[in-house]
Amino acid sequence: EPGAAAALEALPKLPKRCVALLFGYCGAGYMGMQINPGMKTVEAELERALFRARGIRRCNFGFLQKVSWMRACRTDKGVSAVAQIVSVKLELDHHGGEAGTVAALNGLLPRDMRVFDIVRVTKGFDARTSCSRRRYHYLLPTFALLPPEHLNDIIARAVAAEEKDKSVRTEAAAEAMDDESGAGGTNSNE
C-alpha cells in the first residue's frame, strides 16, 4: 500500500484533539489489550483502524506515545471488555468530527470490536490516572465451583457422551455411503 500511504500523508495536516475513545470487544482470538509485537492484540487492531481512518498520521503510527495514547486498563489473553477507554490525540475532522470518526472506525474494525463514542476531553485527561474506579465481572460456569470429585464425574460423563456421539456419527456416515453405493448401481438382470 505505498501509494495509499503517500495519499494519506498528502492530506492536509489537521490539529490533533484530545479525546476519550469508548469501545468494547470480544477478547477471544486476541492476545490481550496491550500491543505485543507479532501477536494479534486489541490495541494493534484499534491503532490500525485509527491510522486507516486518518486519525493517526503515518509518522505517528507505531509510536502511540506520540499521540498521548493511554488505556484505562488492560485485559489478558481471551478476556473481553464491555466498556474500555483510551485517551488519545486524534485528527478528527477528516470525517466531520467525532460521530463521523466513530462510523469510519467501525467500518474498519473487525466485527468483534466496536467503538461506541468519542468524546473531547481536556489536555490533562489521562484515561489511566483520571479513572475513578474499575469494575470487573467474571462469568464462570457453576460446575467450576464443584468439589474436584464431582467435577471429575462431570468430565467423565461429558467424554462418554462425546464418544457415543462420535460413534453414532460414524455409523450414520457408513450407512449413507452404503446407500449411495447401492443407489448408483445397475441391475444386470434387466
Side-chain angles (χ1 to χ4, degrees):
E1 296 182 30
L8 286 175
E9 284 302 307
L11 290 170
K13 189 170 183 175
L14 298 173
K16 292 182 205 167
R17 305 287 181 211
C18 297
V19 299
L21 194 137
L22 175 65
F23 65 105
Y25 52 89
C26 175
Y30 292 98
M31 299 303 289
M33 168 74 178
Q34 191 171 0
I35 286 182
N36 189 354
M39 302 290 180
K40 181 180 177 185
T41 65
V42 173
E43 275 185 343
E45 292 292 335
L46 191 56
E47 180 190 24
R48 189 176 3 270
L50 286 165
F51 170 70
R52 291 177 61 209
R54 302 184 309 250
I56 296 177
R57 292 200 150 269
R58 182 166 196 69
C59 60
N60 295 329
F61 184 72
F63 303 98
L64 294 178
Q65 67 276 12
K66 288 185 175 182
V67 290
S68 302
W69 183 283
M70 191 56 63
R71 72 192 77 77
C73 61
R74 298 181 308 208
T75 56
D76 292 330
K77 173 184 173 184
V79 176
S80 302
V82 174
Q84 171 72 284
I85 294 179
V86 166
S87 54
V88 61
K89 290 181 182 175
L90 299 178
E91 292 184 19
L92 294 172
D93 297 331
H94 293 294
H95 301 284
E98 293 88 340
T101 303
V102 168
L105 288 172
N106 285 331
L108 296 167
L109 285 168
R111 293 182 56 186
D112 53 7
M113 292 179 68
R114 281 295 163 258
V115 172
F116 305 124
D117 203 1
I118 294 177
V119 179
R120 288 195 189 190
V121 294
T122 63
K123 286 184 180 184
F125 181 80
D126 175 315
R128 184 177 56 86
T129 60
S130 298
C131 181
S132 61
R133 66 182 168 151
R134 292 171 178 87
R135 183 181 303 171
Y136 299 91
H137 292 275
Y138 298 92
L139 302 175
L140 296 172
T142 55
F143 70 80
L145 304 174
L146 291 173
E149 59 275 7
H150 293 292
L151 192 54
N152 290 337
D153 183 49
I154 290 172
I155 291 170
R157 283 188 281 164
V159 168
E162 177 62 28
E163 290 297 322
K164 182 179 178 184
D165 187 47
K166 189 185 295 183
S167 173
V168 168
R169 285 193 308 252
T170 302
E171 288 174 18
E175 287 176 14
M177 287 176 59
D178 287 345
D179 290 346
E180 285 178 13
S181 63
T186 57
N187 188 341
S188 59
N189 293 333
E190 291 180 14

